[in-house]
Amino acid sequence: MAEENEKHFAVAVVGAGAAGLAAALASAQAGIRTALVGRHAPVADGRTVALLDGSVRFLDALGAWPVIAPQASPLCELQIVDDTGSLFRPPPARFRAAEIGLDAFGWNVESARLVETLRARARAQENLTLVESDAAGAEPAERFSRLGLVDGGHVLAELIVGADGARSPLRAASGVRVRDWAYPQAAITTILAHERPHRDVSTEFHTRSGPFTLVPMAGGHRSSLVWVTGEGAARRLADLDDAALSDAVERQARAMLGAMRIDGPRGLVPMRGLAVGRPVAPRLALIGEAAHVFPPIGAQGLNLGLRDAAALRDALVRAARDGRDPGGRGTLDAYASGRRLDAAARTAAVDLLNRSLLADLLPVDALRGLGLLAMAQIGPLRRIVMREGVLPRLGAPELMRARR
């Protein structure tokens, strides 16, 4: 590993969450001198992440997946249940990974385990320097950016990668155009133990106040919960004791997994959305929630951030091969153009589905119901949607196409 007192890098990634760690590891493993700037805070709010197949391929290429896999649960089937009370409710729809040639759409893992595994890889990674301090702003110059640190030091890098979250200070200071919005919702997150086995089936109830999702966890009798509902209802649920919350979850799940109990920490997360015009500025590239935020529907959030990290690695590799500046306009334009369609399509799809649940309008309910019915009944359409949900075929990053 590079010495701590050497502060001059080709790439400095700011943010030590999963997306930032993955971006720093991918850059360093490609032979690019990289720094990872950020404090390694604990992750313990009851959240899990469903890592889709492309993300698992990426993590495997980074050397992290073999450590994560024993504690991950495969998501072999997805069941969607319309529980809106609409007149146009279609029957429950089931989607099976085997239909598109996969053992599983993805794997569910606790967020804390994912982040800790990536941190362990980062500590051992050649060509990667860890700077465990918060950033205090970046000053782009002709050849380098000067990244200040709250401890008074600084880092020089040809490219700064902003992986510093939904309220990214780097994005705010860069002048990147941002569109953000709020939903009248919040999400309750926790881990549940339940009487009946989940059989590797993830179930998403579409309710009038948002999606209620149970995602399988390892062991067969545990699942993670993401319950999106109105802000007031979410606060009332958060105030319940464990027994009362377990009863409320069991009722909402129609007792499909039998008796339940709370088996992990809880989280209460306000629902908001954010999109940037372009995820780049002079000597700055934005990834993860610094570039896009949307509700936890369809396991798209972190998977999109990991695609950002893998796509940025590809742009940096091409720049190095061609002898170009890693933070120059050509590299940044290549990254931005490659991410534009994927990010815009996922953000729009999740936003549209969430707003359609809240609308309570017959024409909207009819369109949503017909769409779900069509996917359930028309095989070619269903397979296209499943494949695109797991990993877009156009422009998929190299390390996400690799065979495991």
Side-chain angles (χ1 to χ4, degrees), residues 198-272:
H198 53 58
R199 305 188 189 281
D200 301 330
V201 178
S202 179
T203 302
E204 188 170 288
F205 290 86
H206 288 175
T207 80
R208 188 56 75 193
S209 54
F212 170 96
T213 308
L214 296 169
V215 189
M217 293 184 67
H221 288 266
R222 297 175 81 226
S223 294
S224 60
L225 169 72
V226 180
W227 187 350
V228 179
T229 187
E231 291 172 296
R235 285 193 294 270
R236 289 191 291 274
L237 288 166
D239 288 339
L240 296 176
D241 62 26
D242 282 358
L245 180 59
S246 297
D247 288 344
V249 172
E250 187 178 332
R251 287 194 301 273
Q252 183 64 51
R254 302 179 181 180
M256 62 178 292
L257 296 175
M260 292 184 168
R261 64 178 172 83
I262 304 300
D263 197 35
R266 305 185 195 184
L268 178 61
V269 186
M271 292 293 97
R272 58 190 296 258

Side-chain angles (χ1 to χ4, degrees), residues 101-160:
L102 297 176
D103 294 331
F105 291 117
W107 283 258
N108 195 34
V109 64
E110 292 187 54
S111 298
R113 176 164 294 278
L114 169 64
V115 171
E116 281 304 320
T117 301
L118 290 171
R119 285 174 182 169
R121 292 293 300 170
R123 293 184 190 107
Q125 178 61 50
E126 294 290 332
N127 217 33
L128 177 60
T129 296
L130 306 187
V131 182
E132 295 198 36
S133 172
D134 286 334
E139 301 173 7
E142 183 177 350
R143 182 63 184 171
F144 297 99
S145 276
R146 185 180 187 276
L147 181 68
L149 307 173
V150 295
D151 63 9
H154 69 273
V155 167
L156 294 177
E158 294 171 80
L159 174 66
I160 304 293

Side-chain angles (χ1 to χ4, degrees), residues 52 204 213 295-301 303 350 389:
L52 299 177
E204 188 170 288
T213 308
I297 297 175
Q300 294 299 318
N303 289 284
V350 170

Side-chain angles (χ1 to χ4, degrees), residues 276-313:
V276 297
R278 272 168 53 88
V280 296
R283 301 213 166 270
L284 174 69
L286 301 173
I287 69 170
E289 290 197 335
H292 38 72
V293 178
F294 44 75
I297 297 175
Q300 294 299 318
L302 179 59
N303 289 284
L304 186 59
L306 292 176
R307 287 203 294 279
D308 293 340
L312 181 60
R313 174 259 181 202

Side-chain angles (χ1 to χ4, degrees), residues 80 93 95 370-379 381-383 385:
I80 298 178
F95 302 87
L370 287 171
L372 186 58
L373 186 63
M375 285 190 289
Q377 298 296 323
I378 303 172
L381 174 62
R382 181 173 61 254
R383 288 186 284 274
V385 171

